[in-house]
Amino acid sequence: MKNYLVTGGCGFIGTNFVRRVMMTQPGWRIINLDALTYAGNYGNICDIDGNGRHEFVKGSILDEALLKRIFQENELSGVIHFAAESHVDRSIWGPAAFVETNINGTFRLLQMSLEFWKSNAVAPDFRFLNVSTDEVYGSLGPTGYFTEATRYDPSSPYSASKAASDHFVRAYHRTFGLPTLITNCSNNYGPYQFPEKLIPLMILNIINEQPLPVYGDGRNVRDWLFVEDHCDALIAVIEKGAVGETYNVGGNEEKTNIAIVNLLCDTLDSRLGRGSGNSCRLIKFVADRPGHDLRYAIDAMKILQELGWSPKFSFAEGISRTIDWYLENTDWVSSVVSGEYQRWMNINYSVRK
Ligand code: NAD
Ligand code: DAU
């Protein structure tokens, strides 16, 4: 059995990842360390916790004593590092938490990994995977793609903090030899995504007939990837990726924000038996995000050619599954749209008139 420390395994991608590992990797055991911030939810994984292959630990990646205990008690084959503050708009309102978790937290994990790796107290095939973002590359114009060689040029405090974490990861490989890997992935969507992000926010607001706040002119472009495909890419990188390398991961599904919102309106009008064009009247163009990147698009040839990964889900298939999930999981939705969620909605949207 291989033991992996997964950080942030109760957030959106982390939850999907540990659930996917339970189904597809019978030889893996996961220690899931999550601080359960507003974005983490124990209920996401409680059904698999304690099954012999999944152990939940509530705590922070900033807690050195806790990290030490986890490394001492488990001969780790790797660290798969998801834990982060992940929302760009929150990083504009309060950047300090992003520096603390994304930079200092990653540094603590690297330092602990290095200590145990140097003293041979980890498995011989030990690897540290930093789950990062395409936002480190900044913004594209109307053409071109991000490759692994694109210069880092982050725009938001969030992307700057993720860029810093990537730099530390690379530095720990080059300076100390720690076996690290980095993935830079485009926008994910799917089950368990906290409804502060574009797709789940719009799905819930359409269902509840609330305004649909589109930033700026709605022409910003994102490259969308169904979360299950991202999880499979991460498993491929851990198993087959070359140490010290970076892999871009993307869906090859570029969409403008307004196209997505229109699609969600039409699909939900039809699923909910509402008249055609009913929900589009809720669209409201609001003040833009400061420093809003125009376009992200990933060139994912390296991971295809070297590791054989490509996405299995088209956007049409993935979005249909996502809409179904939010319509079916009303208890989950009720559990996350509590006090903190309302507070955030007021902060972010009351000023976007
Ligand atoms: P998320 O906000 O949904 O989840 C983050 C998780 O980290 C939560 O469970 C939270 O409780 C936990 N966490 C936060 N601070 C912690 C700490 N100090 N110690 C332990 N746990 C802590 O984020 P997500 O969308 O699932 O993203 C996961 C990772 O993937 C992030 O590193 C993000 O930068 C990266 N990423 C996300 C996307 C995307 O589209 N969502 C795309 C590319 C990369
Ligand atoms: O590209 C990967 C990144 O994708 C990840 O690293 C981040 O963690 C993740 O949050 C996501 O960042 P974005 O800023 O692209 O995602 P978000 O869902 O916040 O916004 C997507 C687009 O929709 C963006 O252009 C802003 C716009 N938007 C967003 C919200 C929340 C709106 O127009 N209205 C909204 O209310």
Side-chain angles (χ1 to χ4, degrees), residues 12-13 84-89 98 131-136 146 156 158-159 162 184-188 193-202 205 212-224 255-258 260-261 284 286-289 292-296 298 344-345 348-349 352:
F12 162 48
I13 306 176
E85 290 294 333
S86 69
H87 193 39
V88 173
D89 294 317
F98 289 71
V131 181
S132 193
T133 170
D134 60 357
E135 298 200 13
V136 297
F146 297 134
S156 70
Y158 162 71
S159 49
K162 292 296 291 187
N184 294 100
C185 186
S186 64
N187 286 62
N188 284 214
Q193 188 166 30
F194 194 74
E196 64 191 353
K197 307 282 169 34
L198 179 75
I199 288 181
L201 175 90
M202 295 297 170
N205 283 14
L212 308 176
V214 175
Y215 297 169
D217 61 9
R219 294 205 188 137
N220 301 67
V221 173
R222 298 291 182 264
D223 171 7
W224 293 94
K255 312 273 175 225
T256 61
N257 295 336
I258 190 65
I260 291 206
V261 176
K284 196 175 163 207
V286 298
D288 208 351
R289 173 185 280 173
H292 198 174
D293 288 333
L294 176 68
R295 175 173 167 260
Y296 304 144
I298 284 278
W344 167 248
M345 296 304 275
N348 192 45
Y349 294 99
R352 293 184 187 278

Side-chain angles (χ1 to χ4, degrees), residues 217-239:
D217 61 9
R219 294 205 188 137
N220 301 67
V221 173
R222 298 291 182 264
D223 171 7
W224 293 94
L225 180 69
F226 190 55
V227 64
E228 189 175 310
D229 278 324
H230 186 191
C231 295
D232 286 346
L234 296 173
I235 292 169
V237 170
I238 272 285
E239 298 235 286

Side-chain angles (χ1 to χ4, degrees), residues 68 83 103 150 152 156 285 287 321:
K68 191 168 221 162
I103 306 178
T150 302
Y152 275 31
S156 70
F285 291 93
R321 287 187 183 222

Side-chain angles (χ1 to χ4, degrees), residues 171-196:
Y172 269 61
H173 176 66
R174 290 185 194 161
T175 306
F176 306 115
L178 187 71
T180 63
L181 296 149
I182 297 173
T183 50
N184 294 100
C185 186
S186 64
N187 286 62
N188 284 214
Y189 66 99
Y192 299 102
Q193 188 166 30
F194 194 74
E196 64 191 353

